Amino acid sequence: SQQGEEDPQALSIQEGENATMNCSYKTSINNLQWYRQNSGRGLVHLILIRSNEREKHSGRLRVTLDTSKKSSSLLITASRAADTASYFCATDQLHSGNTPLVFGKGTRLSVIA
Amino acid sequence: DTGVSQDPRHKITKRGQNVTFRCDPISEHNRLYWYRQTLGQGPEFLTYFQNEAQLEKSRLLSDRFSAERPKGSFSTLEIQRTEQGDSAMYLCASSLEFTLGNEQFFGPGTRLTVL
């Protein structure tokens, strides 16, 4: 079963705009990660935020985590056409000892040049 | 290139045939994972290995599926008597135990089409 639920399912924006995607999950976690997947390809790790962190930045990416609401958001600033992809949040469950990730269904982002 | 590799990238087979996929993880990674991804969904866990030991299997892994990692390096995933419902992307990932955060590195996937 999939723990995470991304919102929205699809997002279309103009190049240069910011894109915000949200993720909700069900159980307590150690970490939450965001991955990107270009059409028909493998997943690329973007950023990881630990359960004791509230915000993290990496380049044009900003991730927030609210463990009380079991939710996270991914903000991509100044989007580019190359950011067009599906974005997934993934969690590993608390005390699971780094076992398999549980992914959401993803947000399909389209950045129009 | 020292990333995760998978072979083949695409496989088309007829229902009832057996297929085998291979995954070569990043060389120093001792954990290896198999996931399945269907269209419009996120990856779903199938099974994982720590070194050569298969530590966990999902309920998705029916008895037609078997995975091995005989020497703790590459892994194979075999599907016997394939069904149309097995059509999916099969993703392999690897990670290093004791890495803070459990970041997993994914291969490009094997896309299986069962006719």
Side-chain angles (χ1 to χ4, degrees):
Chain A
S1 64
Q2 300 194 289
Q3 156 150 253
E5 289 287 340
E6 284 90 343
D7 171 57
Q9 291 186 354
L11 179 62
S12 183
I13 60 174
Q14 296 289 327
E15 202 167 32
E17 293 181 338
N18 296 341
T20 300
M21 290 160 267
N22 302 295
C23 165
S24 60
Y25 57 91
K26 298 174 184 173
T27 63
S28 297
I29 60 171
N30 293 314
N31 311 289
L32 185 143
Q33 306 180 50
W34 285 89
Y35 285 80
R36 182 186 74 215
Q37 185 177 38
N38 291 89
S39 180
R41 307 284 294 276
L43 284 82
V44 174
H45 182 264
L46 294 176
I47 193 166
L48 177 148
I49 186 164
R50 304 189 203 290
S51 58
N52 62 354
E53 297 177 310
R54 293 296 167 258
E55 187 170 313
K56 201 161 183 180
H57 295 80
S58 176
R60 294 185 295 113
L61 305 180
R62 172 178 169 256
V63 170
T64 63
L65 179 64
D66 186 335
T67 53
S68 67
K69 295 181 179 178
K70 293 186 169 59
S71 67
S72 173
S73 68
L74 171 67
L75 168 68
I76 304 174
T77 60
S79 63
R80 305 167 182 168
D83 295 328
T84 295
S86 291
Y87 292 82
F88 296 91
C89 67
T91 57
D92 56 354
Q93 295 183 15
L94 190 64
H95 305 310
S96 66
N98 285 357
T99 51
L101 297 175
V102 180
F103 288 83
K105 293 184 179 181
T107 292
R108 293 185 306 280
L109 173 65
S110 297
V111 181
I112 302 167
Chain B
D1 188 328
T2 57
V4 178
S5 62
Q6 292 186 246
D7 182 68
R9 294 290 305 276
H10 303 274
K11 179 70 177 179
I12 299 173
T13 191
K14 293 182 179 179
R15 189 175 51 188
Q17 297 294 306
N18 299 344
V19 294
T20 300
F21 310 140
R22 176 178 170 127
C23 171
D24 286 88
I26 293 172
S27 58
E28 63 267 27
H29 286 184
N30 61 339
R31 287 186 168 173
L32 186 149
Y33 306 80
W34 286 99
Y35 293 85
R36 183 178 73 183
Q37 184 179 25
T38 54
L39 196 62
Q41 302 293 315
E44 294 179 291
F45 165 70
L46 292 177
T47 187
Y48 98 97
F49 293 84
Q50 181 163 302
N51 301 312
E52 63 275 7
Q54 188 172 17
L55 295 189
E56 191 172 339
K57 296 185 208 180
S58 160
R59 60 177 174 77
L60 293 176
L61 210 70
S62 76
D63 56 7
R64 296 185 297 106
F65 288 68
S66 63
E68 295 183 341
R69 195 184 183 197
K71 298 181 181 179
S73 56
F74 73 92
S75 175
T76 58
L77 177 68
E78 180 183 16
I79 309 174
Q80 296 182 328
R81 305 181 304 282
T82 53
E83 302 172 356
Q84 288 185 324
D86 297 332
S87 294
M89 175 79 88
Y90 289 84
L91 294 163
C92 175
S94 69
S95 70
L96 186 60
E97 188 183 5
F98 305 127
T99 301
L100 290 177
N102 192 23
E103 178 183 347
Q104 296 181 17
F105 295 80
F106 282 80
T110 293
R111 182 170 294 285
L112 173 65
T113 301
V114 182
L115 302 176

